[in-house]
């Protein structure tokens, strides 16, 4: 988490604005502010001297910025070089998918690609939105299935696979489970269960609270199976990632549309990969993945 906080702090220091730093980092302004405050608490020093809506760097902040800028540049270079060495040593395809993705499309695409390209080793990684973004940016993944939380970048191919309405999973015995839809207000007394590693919990919570609009407490699970067990056990509800279909009426869970202002909340799910990728198998995998959604 310290490295991500460092990158946010550098963006604030270089732009001189929390708003512009948030745009550069493709997250909310409140998330940037919260993460820098957490960084200051962890370091035990004040990095920014705040006054009304402006700020200046403290002496400690100036030092942390200069040294941190060099450290982050060196780390990014190290990650890229390491990924390039690994790719040259073991040519294959690294593909990534959201850790909490509930659809079968990605699994089917991996199976079909493996069948049609038996000579190509395929490695699969799972993670949160931020994990996958970093893996792609640093060369640890060739192509990923991710949700769209950022404006599309010209650095990448941004192939929209599907646009899906947000849904939540509730235990079948919940009074809300018989409804045709729910809102964040309906769910505010329940805990929201999210699939996220310890490093990504703050980012996931910020997204679902500030962008999706969910209220109340948040619980976290390491994987989708654990999250669903928490829901079945009456611990809360689970926002569903993916092109979700209703659960069978006899199952322990019910999947219900989540509305805002009377309308479905729509999310894009995309295949992302770097333009000019030297891996010739990337577009083949992306084509096969698209076929699973068509």
């Amino acid at each position: 988490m310290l490295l991500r906080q460092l990158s946010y702090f550098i963006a604030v220091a270089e732009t001189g604005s929390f708003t512009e730093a948030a745009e550069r980092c493709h997250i909310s302004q409140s998330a940037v502010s919260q993460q820098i405050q957490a960084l200051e608490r962890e370091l035990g020093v004040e990095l920014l001297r705040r006054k009304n809506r402006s700020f200046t760097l403290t002496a400690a902040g100036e030092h942390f910025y200069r040294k941190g800028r060099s450290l982050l540049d060196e780390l990014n270079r190290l990650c890229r070089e390491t990924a390039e060495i690994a790719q040259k040593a073991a040519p294959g395809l690294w593909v990534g998918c959201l850790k909490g993705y509930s659809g079968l499309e990605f699994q089917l695409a991996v199976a079909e690609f493996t069948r049609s390209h038996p000579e190509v080793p395929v490695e699969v990684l799972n993670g949160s939105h931020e994990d996958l973004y970093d893996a792609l940016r640093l060369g640890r993944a060739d192509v990923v299935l991710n949700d769209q939380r950022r404006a599309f970048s010209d650095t990448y191919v941004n192939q929209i696979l599907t646009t899906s309405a947000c849904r939540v999973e509730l235990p079948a015995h919940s009074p809300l489970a018989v409804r045709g839809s729910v809102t964040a207000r309906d769910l505010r007394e329940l805990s929201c269960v999210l699939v996220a590693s310890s490093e990504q919990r703050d980012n996931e919570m910020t997204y679902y609270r500030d962008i999706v609009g969910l209220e109340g407490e948040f619980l976290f699970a390491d994987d989708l199976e654990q999250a669903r067990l928490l829901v079945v056990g009456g611990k809360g509800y689970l926002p569903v990632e993916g092109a979700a279909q209703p659960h069978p009426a006899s199952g322990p869970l019910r999947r219900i549309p989540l509305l805002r202002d009377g309308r479905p909340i729509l999310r894009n799910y995309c295949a992302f990969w770097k333009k000019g990728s030297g891996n010739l198998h990337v577009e083949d995998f992306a084509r096969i993945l698209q076929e699973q959604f068509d």
Side-chain angles (χ1 to χ4, degrees), residues 18-198:
F18 280 86
T19 300
E20 292 183 26
E23 292 175 355
R24 177 194 288 192
C25 298
H26 304 289
I27 62 172
S28 68
Q29 181 177 334
S30 62
V32 171
S33 179
Q34 290 167 11
Q35 289 301 313
I36 290 181
Q37 290 174 10
L39 176 61
E40 289 178 316
R41 288 195 299 270
E42 186 169 345
L43 294 174
V45 300
E46 184 183 44
L47 300 173
L48 302 176
R49 185 172 292 110
R50 299 163 177 83
K51 184 176 181 181
N52 297 326
R53 294 191 176 184
S54 63
F55 65 87
T56 57
L57 294 180
T58 64
E62 289 278 6
H63 175 77
F64 193 72
Y65 166 71
R66 290 195 303 271
K67 296 292 186 179
R69 174 77 270 178
S70 298
L71 176 64
L72 196 61
D73 288 344
E74 183 62 28
L75 178 61
N76 286 336
R77 183 162 52 251
L78 173 62
C79 291
R80 288 194 299 270
E81 291 172 352
T82 302
E84 289 170 1
I85 291 171
Q87 289 175 351
K88 291 176 182 177
L93 187 68
W94 285 81
V95 296
C97 183
L98 286 165
K99 195 172 188 179
Y101 191 79
S102 64
L104 294 177
E105 297 88 356
F106 184 78
Q107 296 176 40
L108 293 171
V110 171
E112 174 58 23
F113 181 86
T114 302
R115 184 198 65 77
S116 59
H117 298 74
E119 77 288 357
V120 180
V122 177
E123 299 291 341
V124 178
L125 59 91
N126 293 297
S128 69
H129 173 94
E130 292 299 319
D131 290 329
L132 296 178
Y133 172 72
D134 284 345
L136 198 61
R137 180 173 60 88
L138 297 174
R140 296 195 295 264
D142 296 306
V143 56
V144 300
L145 189 167
N146 208 351
D147 58 342
Q148 184 191 356
R149 299 187 188 181
R150 294 173 159 83
F152 285 147
S153 168
D154 291 338
T155 304
Y156 303 95
V157 177
N158 312 284
Q159 179 175 318
I160 297 177
L161 300 168
T162 188
T163 300
S164 177
C166 291
R167 293 174 172 84
V168 297
E169 290 183 350
L170 290 157
H173 56 76
S174 168
L176 295 174
V178 299
R179 300 179 57 171
S181 63
V182 292
T183 66
R185 186 172 181 81
D186 297 327
L187 300 167
R188 68 187 185 280
E189 300 300 327
L190 302 176
S191 295
C192 175
V193 181
L194 299 178
V195 179
S197 64
S198 58

Side-chain angles (χ1 to χ4, degrees), residues 1-12:
M1 180 58 72
L2 181 60
L3 288 172
R4 192 176 301 281
Q5 291 168 342
L6 172 60
S7 67
Y8 295 160
F9 173 72
I10 288 172
V12 169

Side-chain angles (χ1 to χ4, degrees), residues 214-228:
L214 299 180
E215 306 173 32
E217 298 296 322
F218 288 86
L219 300 176
F220 296 93
D222 292 329
D223 54 48
L224 190 58
E225 181 179 1
Q226 183 185 42
R228 282 176 167 156

